[in-house]
Amino acid sequence: MASTTSPEVSLEVLPYLRVLKDGTIDRIAGTQVVPAGLDPQTGVLSKDIVLIPETGVSARLYRPNNITKTDHKLPLIVYFHGGAFFISSAADPLYHNSLNMLVAEAKAIAVSINYRLAPEHPLPTAYEDSWAALNWVFGGGEDGDLWVKEHVDFGRVFLVGDSAGANIAHHLALRVKASDPDLKVKIAGIGLVHPYFWGKEPIGGEVTDLVRKSMVDKWWQFVCPSEKAGDDPLINPFGDGAPSVEGLACGKVLVLVAGKDILRDRGRLYYDELVKSSWGGRKEFTETEDEDHVFHIFNPNCEKAKSLIKHLASFINRD
């Protein structure tokens, strides 16, 4: 008779996945996908392409369906999805819907990056994949897709992300300048939506919200089991060894936080430190009261979510 014994679990990161003792990753959530195509509600067209064949890194491209070759060039949004570096994808129905809304509102082209996830691909893989994808964008005039070559204004390239994706956008904006200050494509700005920054010592609401503090600690240790824990420079932009925010290679930064989000105070700290620094770009900060982490992804039709998308679109299109 066949055994009915369930595989033993070595680690649970609920409610998202379990790691079995045989090494199998049992993903519970964040696995849903929808196909690309024309969205009738927003009039946005999308398609999937492989950016880096060697690693399989791909992206979902978006554009307004009614543009032509003769239209003026549009801003480009390079988008990095959230999910604590270990869940979700560019094809997630929640992200697909959000990108359709943002592209329609901003009248922009978007490249939503499908970086590889932990734990199968431990950090810094997500950063390296995203950097490789950004270099694909930089080469858009030669190696890029026609949507990018024909319709993008390379003077208006924006890095935008939510949660872990905002963290990635921050690090890439630092890496651009450190890598080559004479890159042909400049980063006009970065939009950080509910950014996933952290630290070992609690601040603000983290001091009393011990349950969620412990949860975030555990999630970070799962994807980056370093001795520095929450003070690793990848997650704490002001920890020992972290590059200074003064090195951000962009002209403006928008930081959006949610009032009930456990990450709220880290986003506020990031903005405050940016203001105190000698970085000379334009800085904007907005808090959405009485909402939690990435509420606009989970409840896109509420008025506050629509307002957030409009705010992002305005940031992208405002000189």
Side-chain angles (χ1 to χ4, degrees):
M1 187 167 103
S3 172
T4 58
T5 303
S6 299
E8 292 188 70
V9 176
S10 65
L11 176 66
E12 289 185 315
V13 189
L14 298 177
Y16 301 109
L17 60 74
R18 291 185 290 258
V19 181
L20 307 183
K21 287 193 173 179
D22 65 2
T24 302
I25 308 299
D26 181 16
R27 294 186 175 275
I28 306 166
T31 59
Q32 299 87 352
V33 298
V34 292
L38 178 63
D39 178 52
Q41 291 187 319
T42 59
V44 171
L45 185 64
S46 58
K47 65 179 179 179
D48 295 324
I49 63 170
V50 175
L51 304 184
I52 317 296
E54 295 81 5
T55 59
V57 172
S58 63
R60 180 160 290 187
L61 271 61
Y62 296 82
R63 71 167 213 192
N65 191 41
N66 58 358
I67 59 174
T68 67
K69 287 184 179 181
T70 58
D71 285 343
H72 68 280
K73 300 289 188 176
L74 304 179
L76 175 67
I77 301 166
V78 184
Y79 195 89
F80 308 96
H81 69 80
F85 298 100
F86 66 90
I87 59 172
S88 199
S89 72
D92 185 312
L94 296 174
Y95 279 106
H96 180 66
N97 180 59
S98 185
L99 265 292
N100 279 326
M101 295 174 65
L102 179 57
V103 166
E105 187 66 38
K107 295 180 175 57
I109 305 294
V111 181
S112 182
I113 308 303
N114 219 23
Y115 54 86
R116 290 172 291 174
L117 302 176
E120 297 94 330
H121 303 283
L123 294 182
T125 300
Y127 298 101
E128 296 304 323
D129 285 351
S130 298
W131 177 248
L134 192 57
N135 276 278
W136 178 90
V137 170
F138 289 165
E142 300 174 0
D143 305 320
D145 183 88
L146 283 177
W147 289 9
V148 175
K149 288 195 286 187
E150 293 180 352
H151 299 297
V152 165
D153 176 354
F154 284 102
R156 294 189 291 162
V157 176
F158 292 84
L159 309 185
V160 180
D162 66 279
S163 195
N167 176 303
I168 292 172
H170 158 77
H171 281 285
L172 294 193
L174 289 170
R175 187 167 177 175
V176 165
K177 194 166 187 177
S179 173
D180 183 356
D182 298 318
L183 281 170
K184 294 179 181 178
V185 179
K186 302 297 183 182
I187 305 301
I190 58 174
L192 310 182
V193 185
H194 309 168
Y196 184 22
F197 299 132
W198 203 235
K200 188 181 294 184
E201 295 301 318
I203 64 172
E206 301 163 16
V207 175
T208 55
D209 195 346
L210 298 180
V211 172
R212 290 202 295 175
K213 172 71 168 67
S214 175
M215 176 187 69
V216 179
D217 286 342
K218 182 177 180 179
W219 286 1
W220 178 248
Q221 280 292 99
F222 176 65
V223 299
C224 187
S226 73
E227 293 181 359
K228 292 186 176 182
D231 283 338
D232 189 287
L234 291 176
I235 194 70
N236 186 345
F238 309 108
D240 288 341
S244 171
V245 292
E246 294 172 2
L248 288 171
C250 58
K252 56 183 181 177
V253 173
L254 171 65
V255 181
L256 301 177
V257 301
K260 293 183 177 180
D261 187 0
I262 187 65
L263 301 180
R264 171 198 174 276
D265 294 300
R266 297 292 170 174
R268 180 81 220 194
L269 175 65
Y270 182 91
Y271 173 77
D272 290 343
E273 291 295 322
L274 198 58
V275 169
K276 288 190 293 185
S277 77
S278 63
W279 183 75
R282 190 163 76 234
K283 315 152 189 81
E284 299 180 36
F285 177 88
T286 298
E287 178 177 340
T288 307
E289 296 182 355
D290 301 320
E291 295 292 349
D292 212 331
H293 193 61
V294 297
F295 72 93
H296 66 296
I297 300 291
F298 294 106
N299 188 16
N301 295 317
C302 73
E303 289 306 312
K304 290 180 180 178
K306 293 176 182 177
S307 177
L308 187 152
I309 294 296
K310 287 181 181 294
H311 195 160
L312 261 179
S314 175
F315 170 76
I316 289 163
N317 284 294
R318 189 168 62 249
D319 292 331

